[in-house]
Amino acid sequence: MNLLLLEAADFTAADRVVLGGRRLTHMQDIHRVAVGDSLRVGVLGGAMGSATVTRLAPDEAELVVDLTQPPPPKLPLTLILAVPRPKMLRRIFQTVATLGVARLVLVNSYRVEKSFWQTPFLAPEAIRENLVLGLEQARDTVLPEVIIEKRFKPFVEDRLPALVEGTQGLVGHPGPYPACPRGVEGPVTLAIGPEGGWIPYEVDLLAKAGLAPVQLGDRILRVETAVTALVSRLF
């Protein structure tokens, strides 16, 4: 981890925390900390700064923190994603958090298998765990907002137009469409389908909601690759 994320329960005083578990193990095995060492830290949902180790024990460490820096700004992006295969999902949560996506909406699609919705990686605690790992990698403290929409048509017709309003709406899909724009300014709503792509009906419905189809070329990308490629191209 590139940032040690702290939570409210870690604080024993306004400027002092006690840590154990995974974070202590990382401090010991990776950073090989000693009393007096300094680490980069941040409070989940809050400021960042540094912390000095004041006490080390086998099962816990005490640190004095100095939080003076704001977290990096989020990308002005709402990412709409058809639920991918479970083994890919945890990596995508981490990638979305690392890239700084502000909002992630997981939706159903014709080509999303029903079993994908049963994965334990969609449990709230699993989503949070993987988002935190992404924040630690990127040195960020603010969790992306995650929304789950299991019914495609009601979401696109009833709720998507409000999300798209005031943004540049795009849907990534292979085909005879304009190339995805580069270096856009202002907020974007981007929809990325499953590895088999959106079906024509879904593309049409997304377009009616204000999302213009764009493409990245002839190659068909894995979802996790498409997320990184499209977000990087846009911002």
Side-chain angles (χ1 to χ4, degrees), residues 69-84:
Q69 305 166 17
K74 291 295 188 193
L75 296 179
L77 173 63
T78 294
L79 176 61
I80 300 166
L81 194 65
V83 173

Side-chain angles (χ1 to χ4, degrees), residues 40-233:
R40 292 179 180 269
V41 298
V43 178
L44 195 62
M48 304 189 306
S50 62
T52 302
V53 180
T54 57
R55 180 172 59 86
L56 275 175
D59 59 344
E60 66 179 25
E62 185 178 62
L63 301 90
V64 173
V65 301
D66 180 24
L67 304 169
T68 59
Q69 305 166 17
K74 291 295 188 193
L75 296 179
L77 173 63
T78 294
L79 176 61
I80 300 166
L81 194 65
V83 173
R85 290 178 290 116
K87 69 178 183 180
M88 188 183 296
L89 186 57
R90 64 182 300 270
R91 297 197 300 270
I92 287 178
F93 281 132
Q94 294 177 30
T95 297
V96 164
T98 298
L99 291 174
V101 173
R103 180 189 292 126
L104 172 65
V105 184
L106 293 172
V107 301
N108 199 20
S109 168
Y110 180 80
R111 293 193 171 111
V112 170
E113 296 183 21
K114 291 182 179 179
S115 62
F116 290 2
W117 288 101
Q118 308 306 315
T119 175
F121 292 133
L122 282 175
E125 60 274 13
I127 293 175
R128 187 180 189 275
E129 176 185 357
N130 284 295
L131 293 177
V132 164
L133 291 175
L135 293 181
E136 292 174 341
Q137 171 65 35
R139 291 182 181 166
D140 190 2
T141 66
V142 180
L143 292 166
E145 178 186 5
V146 177
I147 301 170
I148 295 178
E149 295 280 357
K150 292 187 177 181
R151 300 177 64 203
F152 179 84
K153 188 171 184 287
F155 164 69
V156 173
E157 290 184 335
D158 301 336
R159 292 180 287 283
L160 181 55
L163 294 178
V164 178
E165 186 176 359
T167 76
Q168 182 174 358
L170 303 170
V171 51
H173 188 67
Y177 304 113
C180 178
R182 297 176 182 270
V184 302
E185 295 183 2
V188 173
T189 301
L190 170 67
I192 300 176
E195 290 187 5
W198 304 105
I199 63 173
Y201 167 79
E202 293 168 340
V203 175
D204 290 343
L205 210 61
L206 290 165
K208 290 178 181 177
L211 274 62
V214 295
Q215 48 83 20
L216 280 175
D218 296 332
R219 297 182 183 273
I220 306 299
L221 305 178
R222 293 183 183 273
V223 174
E224 59 186 325
T225 306
V227 168
T228 303
L230 284 165
V231 173
S232 300
R233 185 177 175 113

Side-chain angles (χ1 to χ4, degrees), residues 2-66:
N2 296 316
L3 183 75
L4 194 64
L5 270 179
L6 312 174
E7 303 197 37
D10 299 323
F11 283 81
T12 59
D15 64 345
R16 199 170 297 266
V17 296
V18 173
L19 303 179
R22 178 181 70 91
R23 291 170 297 176
L24 175 62
T25 299
H26 187 88
M27 292 166 58
Q28 294 170 327
D29 295 348
I30 306 301
H31 293 291
R32 301 187 182 278
V33 297
V35 171
D37 286 351
S38 181
L39 298 169
R40 292 179 180 269
V41 298
V43 178
L44 195 62
M48 304 189 306
S50 62
T52 302
V53 180
T54 57
R55 180 172 59 86
L56 275 175
D59 59 344
E60 66 179 25
E62 185 178 62
L63 301 90
V64 173
V65 301
D66 180 24

